[in-house]
Amino acid sequence: MIHVVGLGMDPDNLPEHSLEVIEHAQVLCGGRSQLAHFEDHPAEKITVAAPLDRFLAALSERHAAGLMVVVLADGDPLYYGIGATLIERLGPDEITLYPGVTALQAAAAKLKIPWSRVETVSLHGRTDWLPLYRALMRADFVAVYTDPANVPAAVAQAALDKGCTHFALWVLEDLETEAEQVRRFTLEEAARTSFSPRNLLLLERTGRPEVALTLGIPDDLLAREKNLLTKGPVRAAGLSALRIAPGDTVWDLGAGCGAVAVEAASLAAGRVVAVEKNAPRVGLIRENVRRTGAYTVEPVHGSMPRCLDDLPDPDRIFIGGGLSKSGAVLDAACARLAPGGRLVCSVVLLSTLERVRASFAARGWPAFVTLVAAAESRPLADDVHLAAHNPVFIVGADRPLDD
């Protein structure tokens, strides 16, 4: 049996059963700072370092030889720790875990916040910040584990770049040591401040976006150029036709002011990429992200189809513009759509409708078409009448799984 011991926040104050396990170790594994706490221990020391394959091979060899192997972990081994990796690679029957206090638990105690209310994100050794943006959309408290690259100032600046200003940032440095500091900053202050590398962040919501992020956002609450946006009824029909699942990556091509992308972000936990060639309209997308808090939306300024090459492969694609002049955008989108994915176009011209249907037919993708002919009430004299919107075709298809 391999024993994995969480050192908590203070290795000098471990529970008796955890200390006993460590004392009997014949092989002691851990990071350099963890092993430094036990430099007088007579066990063989093995440093945990990436890539893990070499370490795991050495650990398995000692275990197979009948030696008592103990792995040291920061905090709790199963909370963003090595415990999950060991269970996955070596099997649950080979592992015994001894939990410790996590940095999150210690931070919540310092700030007197129930840690069950805190959504936690780890940027340690990671380059994908989507989980942070997703957490900022929905949570009142967001804890962030950092590393030497993803420092507090970078987290604060990333939030500001998204227009996310309604959070304060707690920085908890050197917890449970003599150098401990617990300080509260505005995001602007934190973005220009340096901190101890041993830190945990906690973002505390201080307000809400000015427009609630839902389906059916009133058109007049969105920043737009004149009246150039996909109208509410068409957005509703298009998003319904897309059938977005929580983890899907969504493309909104010819995004305009980003109205479809913003509402798609309320449905998708994955990436939402809004592509627009007109620079002022890209600015409108950013403004609508700020207004609604749709931080998972990534505006992309570029000309299609060339700019699509560097985007993540999509599970769902909405094309609201760029189809009337050629089939190049549609061809590129179809080529990149994941098998089993769905592509939906918003079309006004009959010639464009026929070209899209023909393109799907040539690929053997059965198409569906819905006509959206909506009207909304407006004052007229002392009464109300219905003013019609331009009719729009919603046309789409699914890429076969075996395509």
Side-chain angles (χ1 to χ4, degrees):
M1 190 66 66
I2 295 170
H3 303 268
V4 188
V5 178
L7 298 180
M9 299 304 299
D10 183 5
D12 295 325
N13 192 27
L14 287 173
E16 185 175 340
H17 66 278
S18 295
L19 276 174
E20 186 176 345
V21 169
I22 295 172
E23 287 171 0
H24 286 86
Q26 295 171 290
V27 180
L28 200 58
C29 309
R32 289 184 177 85
S33 62
Q34 296 159 347
L35 292 175
H37 286 287
F38 303 95
E39 59 183 354
D40 295 330
H41 196 293
E44 176 190 2
K45 310 290 198 316
I46 299 178
T47 302
V48 178
L52 288 178
D53 288 345
R54 183 178 299 175
F55 159 71
L56 291 172
L59 180 150
S60 298
E61 178 185 336
R62 291 356 180 241
H63 176 53
L67 300 176
M68 181 172 176
V69 178
V70 175
V71 180
L72 305 175
D74 283 328
D76 186 291
L78 287 178
Y79 200 76
Y80 295 105
I82 197 170
T85 300
L86 294 175
I87 290 171
E88 179 183 347
R89 301 285 284 271
L90 304 177
D93 294 338
E94 298 297 320
I95 306 297
T96 298
L97 295 138
Y98 302 82
V101 174
T102 67
L104 171 61
Q105 289 172 288
K110 301 284 182 185
L111 300 178
K112 299 178 176 60
I113 298 168
W115 63 279
S116 57
R117 294 177 56 193
V118 180
E119 186 159 344
T120 308
V121 173
S122 177
L123 297 179
H124 190 86
R126 292 170 169 83
T127 58
D128 182 8
W129 287 42
L130 181 67
L132 173 64
Y133 301 137
R134 189 164 56 232
L136 293 174
M137 288 171 60
R138 62 195 180 201
D140 290 335
F141 297 98
V142 181
V144 184
Y145 285 86
T146 62
D147 69 10
N150 300 318
V151 296
V155 174
Q157 189 59 57
L160 290 170
D161 290 345
K162 286 287 187 178
C164 176
T165 57
H166 42 273
F167 278 89
L169 183 64
W170 291 92
V171 184
L172 300 100
E173 303 169 85
D174 300 306
L175 282 171
E176 305 297 341
T177 72
E178 292 182 358
E180 177 180 290
Q181 290 193 87
V182 178
R183 294 182 287 170
R184 189 176 190 265
F185 298 86
T186 65
L187 293 176
E188 291 82 0
E189 290 169 340
R192 56 177 184 267
T193 304
S194 297
F195 300 94
S196 165
R198 189 172 180 264
N199 66 70
L200 178 76
L201 308 186
L202 193 137
L203 291 132
E204 176 187 7
R205 184 180 295 279
T206 58
R208 297 281 173 185
E210 60 192 70
V211 176
L213 181 59
T214 64
L215 297 179
I217 297 172
D219 292 350
D220 60 1
L221 296 183
L222 294 169
R224 60 196 185 279
E225 180 185 323
K226 297 180 181 178
N227 208 28
L228 295 176
L229 85 164
T230 302
K231 303 293 193 302
V234 178
R235 294 201 302 274
L239 288 166
S240 175
L242 278 174
R243 298 180 182 174
I244 296 171
D248 284 345
T249 295
V250 181
W251 285 4
D252 178 11
L253 306 184
C257 70
V260 171
V262 162
E263 291 195 359
S266 72
L267 299 171
R271 279 189 158 81
V272 180
V273 182
V275 180
E276 175 55 51
K277 69 177 181 180
N278 182 290
R281 293 178 191 169
V282 174
L284 293 174
I285 298 172
R286 297 186 190 280
E287 170 60 15
N288 286 324
V289 168
R290 184 199 68 78
R291 288 189 185 186
T292 62
Y295 305 127
T296 54
V297 174
E298 301 174 18
V300 172
H301 180 208
S303 296
M304 300 184 291
R306 292 192 307 275
C307 71
L308 304 182
D309 293 343
D310 297 327
L311 301 185
D313 288 333
D315 304 290
R316 298 290 186 269
I317 301 175
F318 182 84
I319 305 181
L323 291 174
S324 60
K325 294 182 180 179
S326 77
V329 171
L330 182 60
D331 289 342
C334 289
R336 292 292 304 281
L337 184 64
R342 174 167 282 208
L343 190 155
V344 171
C345 305
S346 168
V347 174
V348 174
L349 302 176
L350 290 173
S351 59
T352 306
L353 171 64
E354 286 309 305
R355 186 164 64 249
V356 172
R357 291 179 66 245
S359 179
F360 288 149
R363 291 176 168 80
W365 299 6
F368 58 87
V369 180
T370 300
L371 174 63
V372 180
E376 61 180 322
S377 61
R378 290 181 184 169
L380 179 63
D382 294 329
D383 208 332
V384 173
H385 79 126
L386 290 175
H389 294 173
N390 287 333
V392 176
F393 296 100
I394 300 296
V395 53
D398 296 321
R399 180 171 187 171
L401 285 169
D402 58 357
D403 184 17

